[in-house]
Amino acid sequence: RNIFGSQPGAGDGLEDFVVHAFMLDHPVPCVGYLLLEPAPLPRLIVEKAVKLGVKPGPLLGKLKQGESVTFEKDGKKVTVTPDQVRGNPLRGRRVAILGDSRDSTELRRLLQTEFPDTQLVVDC
């Protein structure tokens, strides 16, 4: 079932939001959900940008959105890239919702599929 309506991603910020539904081991039908929020943009470190000559204003917004900016400083063209002025990458939130179940091995399988390079801590 489409839980986002007839036009998913229509400017609602949910374009990259992922919802997995999976059956749980239980005598009656029971469903679990894994919700994955997209990673937010890394924090812009304004002090670094200012040290590189970026003046407060629209250029800072472009850097925050991942765009490089070019401007003149002391008669020379200067280009500043987002990697020079943004903090460490952030991870989106991950939420698992499990109802009544005998065990949660299906959740473990799904997590191992979604995050193959991550050491999981799941108590099944």
Side-chain angles (χ1 to χ4, degrees):
R1 179 176 99 118
N2 182 357
I3 65 171
F4 293 114
S6 61
Q7 294 183 348
D12 57 11
L14 299 175
E15 297 87 13
D16 297 326
F17 196 88
V18 176
V19 178
H20 291 282
F22 51 95
M23 297 305 296
L24 298 172
D25 182 19
H26 197 269
V28 296
C30 189
V31 180
Y33 300 92
L34 177 63
L35 303 106
L36 305 173
E37 177 185 55
L41 292 173
R43 186 176 78 82
L44 178 70
I45 303 171
V46 177
E47 300 80 24
K48 282 185 175 183
V50 170
K51 277 186 181 179
L52 293 170
V54 179
K55 292 188 179 3
L59 295 182
L60 289 177
K62 287 184 177 188
L63 286 166
K64 171 76 176 165
Q65 294 303 317
E67 298 177 41
S68 296
V69 297
T70 301
F71 55 92
E72 263 193 45
K73 179 182 174 188
D74 301 327
K76 297 179 184 174
K77 283 197 180 238
V78 176
T79 298
V80 176
T81 66
D83 292 339
Q84 292 176 279
V85 295
R86 290 197 304 193
N88 293 329
L90 303 172
R91 186 180 81 185
R93 291 175 286 194
R94 302 164 185 178
V95 178
I97 301 170
L98 306 177
D100 195 4
S101 178
R102 292 183 201 177
D103 67 53
S104 47
T105 53
E106 185 61 20
L107 174 62
R108 176 183 292 280
R109 186 202 59 74
L110 180 59
L111 289 171
Q112 287 171 332
T113 301
E114 279 290 322
F115 310 105
D117 299 326
T118 303
Q119 182 177 359
L120 301 175
V121 179
V122 178
D123 185 12
C124 293

